[in-house]
Amino acid sequence: MVRQEERRARTKAAILQAATESFGTLGFIATSVDAIASRANVAKGAVYHHFRNKEELFECVFETVSSNVAAAVAASAKPNLGPLENMTLTTERYFELCADPPTARITLQDGPSVLGYERWRELDTAHFGGLVTAGLTSAMEAGAIVEQPVAPLSNIVLAAIQAAALDCAVQEDFAEAASRYLRSFEAILSGLARDT
């Protein structure tokens, strides 16, 4: 029984890896279930055994990629920096990671259209909303920004970052577009800063 569960887990992991590579390089529309099965070295039926359809498989890939990006963003914070500096640093890291073409294709280009904007925003918020809320809460607790209700402010800041990332994903040079947005983001944070 244990061996069978291990085999299933290995098969599912191989399918997810193959799907991540295919969705990241070819995009959702150009990727077929047959191609994913072939790349994973499994039968097409094995893909459908683990996932109802290509959309469900894509959502699982999206969740994994977003989760990895969120973990890397969180890990980029530096304990010796102030909360506003860390928010700038982690947002910059987010844009750096999203500039990777396969990541951008999965999370920003295909994500909203395949999942639907509402579902995409819900999943994206689940991964990144907590980071924004934690950063703003930390800034308020440190006296770096004026105290105010954190939930609406967090929603506004996160929505701004999401909109910027979506726009960067359709630009010819993601990194160049992101650098312009980062300057604006720094200006927004400066505007929130408590006068000393």
Side-chain angles (χ1 to χ4, degrees):
M1 183 65 112
V2 173
R3 281 188 188 158
Q4 189 175 5
E5 287 174 9
E6 287 174 357
R7 272 199 306 276
R8 283 184 184 147
R10 279 197 304 274
T11 299
K12 186 174 183 180
I15 292 167
L16 282 170
Q17 181 63 39
T20 301
E21 291 166 2
S22 295
F23 290 143
T25 54
L26 302 173
F28 179 82
I29 291 173
T31 296
S32 68
V33 173
D34 286 320
I36 291 169
S38 176
R39 185 178 276 217
N41 202 25
V42 300
K44 182 178 179 179
V47 177
Y48 287 116
H49 175 75
H50 291 281
F51 304 96
R52 281 183 322 220
N53 52 41
K54 190 169 80 163
E55 288 77 12
E56 183 179 90
L57 176 54
F58 179 85
E59 182 168 326
C60 194
V61 166
F62 176 90
E63 286 253 48
T64 301
V65 172
S66 291
S67 178
N68 291 341
V69 170
V73 167
S76 69
K78 305 245 186 280
N80 60 322
L81 291 181
L84 294 182
E85 291 84 359
N86 260 320
M87 285 195 73
T88 299
L89 178 69
T90 55
T91 302
E92 183 175 7
R93 182 67 178 136
Y94 168 74
F95 282 121
E96 285 171 4
L97 292 165
C98 288
D100 171 60
T103 300
R105 182 181 288 271
I106 291 166
T107 62
L108 299 171
Q109 293 170 343
D110 285 348
S113 60
V114 174
L115 301 171
Y117 180 76
E118 287 305 316
R119 180 65 176 149
W120 171 82
R121 190 165 186 281
E122 177 187 338
L123 293 173
D124 193 69
T125 300
H127 289 288
F128 300 103
L131 297 177
V132 172
T133 300
L136 291 169
T137 300
S138 176
M140 285 182 206
E141 288 171 351
I145 63 175
V146 177
E147 248 186 80
Q148 57 195 288
V150 74
L153 180 60
S154 180
N155 286 340
I156 288 169
V157 171
L158 179 62
I161 294 169
Q162 288 171 330
L166 287 171
D167 184 57
C168 289
V170 298
Q171 300 303 316
E172 197 170 303
D173 187 336
F174 189 110
E176 171 57 31
S179 71
R180 291 193 300 272
Y181 276 111
L182 278 168
R183 287 193 294 274
S184 296
F185 183 69
E186 288 174 350
I188 289 169
L189 290 182
S190 295
L192 293 170
R194 184 185 293 276
D195 291 332
T196 52

